[in-house]
């Protein structure tokens, strides 16, 4: 056996052993037992939960990016607003002293009304790592449709509670394909800068990054990208870098450096709970009802809209039904939440005048994941910050932008891991399934193939150059691609189609869409900065013309 062959098979063997240990770390002791004891976050009822029979000037459904922008600007314009959020407030520690569960030790706080975890990275060495948990209104929803699982944040702050904080403004030359009816000059001069400032977006200190142990995986990613001739780009994030430096120095409790992300960050990440939401509360004009779910919106006989709301408990059971009247309703329940509501309301006769574009134009932002097995001499580090800082940009040539992602197992895995955003052309439609009483999505599992092909334009080349191979143990038994999911649902009530060019729903005055449902399926990069900037643009127009 040649030297090289020894190294190559050695590398894989060490990797395999590493992953066995990693699986143990991820599984923890709880994997051996049944559902674990539950250090639940305390779920006090909202201090100012909306009363049955209330009449409000503006009701915002959902508290993610679109909803938070909308509530803040309406309140600043002098409008009283009520925000309705189906998830929890996430403001009170559980019995373990922490608000959020760790990534490697998921518990009931981690999943929305599931009795078993559904981890995006489901396997190690082919072994499934999911485990039983108690059913609870946890933070991450893995919502299953026939061909795809859509991950979404649940709670005050929506997706900002669970996301990786990557705050990326698309390249200007790509904007025309993302939102063709929107004035790009205005977005890049006014609304992207406004969104970035409000969200607290900054770039990592590159001098620190070059030597930080927790970004060794990213430096390996850079080396491999550059050796294959791909542009490696730093991307901004909303994490507090000074806090991360203190984590690395051991001076403060660890969050990103403890691998926290999917189930919430206890420290350091500037989610909406640290940016828009305190500003919303400071206006004194906004009340927020958590553990409240909007189930219906229909024209009220006296003008405005009758909104039906279920108040739920932490087991998901309805404890009270409320009916309120709102002069205006802003749908900000996320691409899936908003579209499901609108499709159901049109089909069941509550809002029959919505147009036929409702439900159409849904995409997965071309998400696909993969890992590569590195050589022994290319360790990616046992300490990995959960906040990505960089990506490989092959959008123009190959239709893929690959985030160099962490694999924060706490052990050396010799693996490089990537979440690619690709120019996947497929778009799905939501429809009402009357017999089942639910909204279906017609996404097909095979529609991910273009994404895989585009991601391969990067990783086949890197593997050939480095003499490395794909990991096959992360998503099943001998399965290379994480092609069963998306983190980035977009579309379903597309701007200038289901709505006018500013999010006013066609067919009804006083109804608006303000979230990711407006964006037709792809943003070429991670989406929340674009969702925020578009919401800022639209609400400016609504305040100027409708109020
Ligand atoms: P969203 O933030 O989903 O907020 C909708 C809210 O409405 C949620 O809080 C729901 O609980 C609530 N809701 C839904 N239905 C109802 C109802 N009927 N009644 C009351 N409330 C309701 O919407 N994006 C990036 O740009 N960078 C990243 O690094 C990144 N990483 C991600 C990692 C993960 C694991 C996930 C899941 C997502 C990630 N994203 C990332 C995507 C990003 O979080 C997402 O695009 C935005 O959160 C979508 O914002 P919206 O305002 O559309």
């Amino acid at each position: 056996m040649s030297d090289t062959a020894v190294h190559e098979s050695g590398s894989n063997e060490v990797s395999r052993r590493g992953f066995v240990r990693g699986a143990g770390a991820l599984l923890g002791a709880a994997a051996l037992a049944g559902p674990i004891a539950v250090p639940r976050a305390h779920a006090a009822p909202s201090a100012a939960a909306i009363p049955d029979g209330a009449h409000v000037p503006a009701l915002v459904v959902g508290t993610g990016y679109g909803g938070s922008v909308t509530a803040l600007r309406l309140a600043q314009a002098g409008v009283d607003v009520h925000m309705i959020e189906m998830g929890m407030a996430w403001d009170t520690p559980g019995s373990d002293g922490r608000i959020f569960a760790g990534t490697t030790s998921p518990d009931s706080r981690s999943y929305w009304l599931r009795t078993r975890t559904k981890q995006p990275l489901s396997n190690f060495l082919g072994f499934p790592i999911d485990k039983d948990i108690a059913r609870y209104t946890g933070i991450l929803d893995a919502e299953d449709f026939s061909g795809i699982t859509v991950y979404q944040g649940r709670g005050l702050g929506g997706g900002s509670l669970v996301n990786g904080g990557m705050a990326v403004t698309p390249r200007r030359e790509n904007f025309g394909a993302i939102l063709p009816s929107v004035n790009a000059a205005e977005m890049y001069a006014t609304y992207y800068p406004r969104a970035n400032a409000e969200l607290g977006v900054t770039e990592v200190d590159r001098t620190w990054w070059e030597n930080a142990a927790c970004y060794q995986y990213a430096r390996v990613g850079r080396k491999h990208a550059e050796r294959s001739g791909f542009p490696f780009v730093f991307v901004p994030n909303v994490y507090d870098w000074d806090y991360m430096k203190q984590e690395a120095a051991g001076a403060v409790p660890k969050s990103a450096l403890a691998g926290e992300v999917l189930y919430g960050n206890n420290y350091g990440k500037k989610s909406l709970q640290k940016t828009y939401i305190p500003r919303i509360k400071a206006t004194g004009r906004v009340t927020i009802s958590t553990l409240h779910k909007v189930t219906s919106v229909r024209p009220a006989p006296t003008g405005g809209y009758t909104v039906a709301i279920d108040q739920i408990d932490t087991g998901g059971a309805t404890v009270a039904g409320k009916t309120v009247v709102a002069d205006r309703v802003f749908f900000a329940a996320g691409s899936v939440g908003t579209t499901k509501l609108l499709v159901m309301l049109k089909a069941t006769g509550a809002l029959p005048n919505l147009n036929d574009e409702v439900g159409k134009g849904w995409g997965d932002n071309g998400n696909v994941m993969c890992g590569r097995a590195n050589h022994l001499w290319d360790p990616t580090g046992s300490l990995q910050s959960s906040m990505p800082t960089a990506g490989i940009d092959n959008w123009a040539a190959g239709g893929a932008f690959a985030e160099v992602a962490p694999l924060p197992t706490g052990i050396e895995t010799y693996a490089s891991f990537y979440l690619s955003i690709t120019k996947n052309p497929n778009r799905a439609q939501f429809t009402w399934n009357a017999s089942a009483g639910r909204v279906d999505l017609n996404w097909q599992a095979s529609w991910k193939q273009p994404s895989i092909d585009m991601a391969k334009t990067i990783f086949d080349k890197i593997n050939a150059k480095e003499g490395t191979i794909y990991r096959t143990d992360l998503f099943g038994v001998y399965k290379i691609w994480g092609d069963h999911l998306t983190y980035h649902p977009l579309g379903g009530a597309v701007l200038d189609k289901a709505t006018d060019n500013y999010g006013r729903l066609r067919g009804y005055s006083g109804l608006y869409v303000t979230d990711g449902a407006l964006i037709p399926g792809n943003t070429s990069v991670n989406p929340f900065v674009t969702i925020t900037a578009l919401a800022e643009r639209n609400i400016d127009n609504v305040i100027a013309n409708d109020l």
Side-chain angles (χ1 to χ4, degrees):
M1 198 184 277
S2 75
D3 236 20
T4 317
V6 170
H7 279 302
E8 281 181 3
S9 72
S11 144
N12 291 333
E13 274 315 303
V14 170
S15 252
R16 286 162 63 88
R17 284 199 297 276
F19 267 102
V20 172
R21 288 198 302 275
L26 280 173
L27 283 159
L32 306 170
I36 55 167
V38 181
R40 293 178 173 184
H42 175 61
S46 303
I50 197 163
D52 187 29
H55 185 149
V56 295
L59 187 134
V60 176
V61 188
T63 58
Y65 295 94
S68 294
V69 167
T70 303
L72 177 64
R73 300 309 176 199
L74 286 171
Q76 289 174 335
V79 180
D80 289 334
V81 181
H82 206 110
M83 301 178 86
I84 307 290
E85 169 56 53
M86 68 195 262
M88 305 203 313
W90 299 111
D91 57 0
T92 313
S95 55
D96 62 353
R98 298 182 310 167
I99 293 177
F100 304 114
T103 304
T104 54
S105 51
D107 58 39
S108 62
R109 287 172 293 186
S110 305
Y111 282 88
W112 179 257
L113 300 177
R114 273 186 178 270
T115 52
R116 193 164 173 80
T117 63
K118 182 145 185 169
Q119 308 203 45
L121 238 94
S122 54
N123 290 61
F124 277 89
L125 288 176
F127 291 115
I129 61 167
D130 282 312
K131 68 183 191 191
D132 291 343
I133 50 172
R135 187 180 147 92
Y136 190 61
T137 46
I139 199 162
L140 185 65
D141 194 353
E143 192 170 358
D144 290 320
F145 293 97
S146 64
I148 194 165
T149 300
V150 184
Y151 284 87
Q152 299 152 88
R154 293 275 174 254
L156 182 57
S160 79
L161 296 166
V162 299
N163 67 33
M166 284 180 81
V168 196
T169 299
R171 285 180 184 278
R172 171 105 184 229
E173 62 264 32
N174 296 332
F175 187 79
I178 299 166
L179 284 164
S181 63
V182 173
N183 179 338
E186 197 180 54
M187 287 294 280
Y188 283 81
T190 304
Y191 296 109
Y192 275 119
R194 184 175 298 173
N196 280 307
E198 293 283 356
L199 293 168
V201 175
T202 54
E203 264 197 25
V204 66
D205 170 353
R206 303 245 185 122
T207 312
W208 177 78
W209 184 93
E210 288 293 350
N211 296 299
C214 62
Y215 282 116
Q216 186 178 334
Y217 74 94
R219 294 192 296 275
V220 170
R222 175 178 63 186
K223 184 174 67 182
H224 292 171
E226 290 181 344
R227 285 209 290 233
S228 286
F230 292 115
F232 178 86
V233 291
F234 280 87
V235 295
N237 200 291
V238 295
Y239 205 81
D240 179 339
W241 301 113
D242 287 335
Y243 191 87
M244 196 187 290
K245 286 179 183 174
Q246 292 183 59
E247 290 179 51
V252 294
K254 289 187 172 53
S255 187
L257 298 202
E260 290 182 348
V261 56
L262 277 182
Y263 310 131
N265 275 83
N266 283 295
Y267 313 95
K269 194 172 86 183
K270 289 174 281 177
S271 72
L272 290 169
Q273 292 198 337
K274 293 187 178 163
T275 57
Y276 276 90
I277 289 168
R279 280 172 227 139
I280 286 169
K281 289 181 175 168
T283 66
R285 286 194 174 275
V286 184
T287 49
I288 303 170
S289 296
T290 51
L291 289 173
H292 280 60
K293 181 176 183 181
V294 169
T295 58
S296 173
V297 177
R298 61 173 64 236
T302 51
Y305 293 89
T306 303
V307 182
I309 303 169
D310 282 350
Q311 183 177 350
I312 59 174
D313 64 19
T314 55
T318 300
V319 292
K322 299 179 178 180
T323 305
V324 304
V325 173
D327 298 336
R328 296 169 198 283
V329 177
F330 295 84
F331 289 89
S335 159
V336 174
T338 289
T339 311
K340 280 197 325 190
L341 270 174
L342 294 176
V343 164
M344 182 266 288
L345 295 171
K346 176 173 166 62
T348 56
L351 295 175
N353 299 338
L354 293 174
N355 73 16
D356 288 338
E357 293 291 338
V358 166
K360 293 182 181 167
W362 186 87
D364 67 342
N365 211 24
N367 280 191
V368 67
M369 293 177 178
C370 67
R372 294 179 37 254
N374 291 318
H375 296 291
L376 264 182
W377 57 85
D378 248 353
T380 45
S382 56
L383 175 67
Q384 301 200 1
S385 168
S386 60
M387 294 291 125
T389 47
I392 303 168
D393 189 355
N394 197 36
W395 190 261
F401 172 85
E403 165 186 330
V404 179
L407 207 51
T409 57
I411 51 147
E412 177 57 60
T413 63
Y414 298 92
S416 287
F417 186 55
Y418 307 91
L419 167 61
S420 297
I421 293 163
T422 64
K423 214 186 274 184
N424 188 319
N426 290 312
R427 295 293 177 270
Q429 184 175 356
F430 290 90
T431 50
W432 177 242
N433 179 337
S435 55
R438 61 157 197 263
V439 177
D440 290 336
L441 178 68
N442 70 348
W443 183 270
Q444 309 292 309
S446 62
W447 290 3
K448 286 280 193 182
Q449 192 58 44
S451 293
I452 292 172
D453 295 342
M454 290 171 196
K456 278 162 73 75
T457 67
I458 297 176
F459 302 115
D460 278 1
K461 190 169 175 191
I462 291 180
N463 277 338
K465 177 79 184 169
E466 302 296 328
T468 50
I469 55 170
Y470 288 102
R471 300 287 310 209
T472 58
D473 59 326
L474 302 176
F475 302 103
V477 181
Y478 205 83
K479 180 161 168 46
I480 291 175
W481 298 98
D483 57 356
H484 57 297
L485 58 78
T486 184
Y487 287 170
H488 300 164
L490 293 167
V494 169
L495 190 77
D496 211 28
K497 290 188 170 173
T499 74
D500 79 351
N501 202 23
Y502 294 91
R504 298 176 185 89
L505 269 163
R506 294 203 158 118
Y508 293 92
S509 86
L511 294 185
Y512 308 83
V513 176
T514 76
D515 57 18
L518 292 170
I519 299 174
N522 200 291
T523 52
S524 76
V525 290
N526 315 62
F528 75 62
V529 174
T530 297
I531 294 170
T532 306
L534 183 66
E536 288 280 13
R537 164 197 180 266
N538 292 352
I539 197 64
D540 258 9
N541 186 282
V542 168
I543 288 169
N545 295 299
D546 296 15
L547 300 182

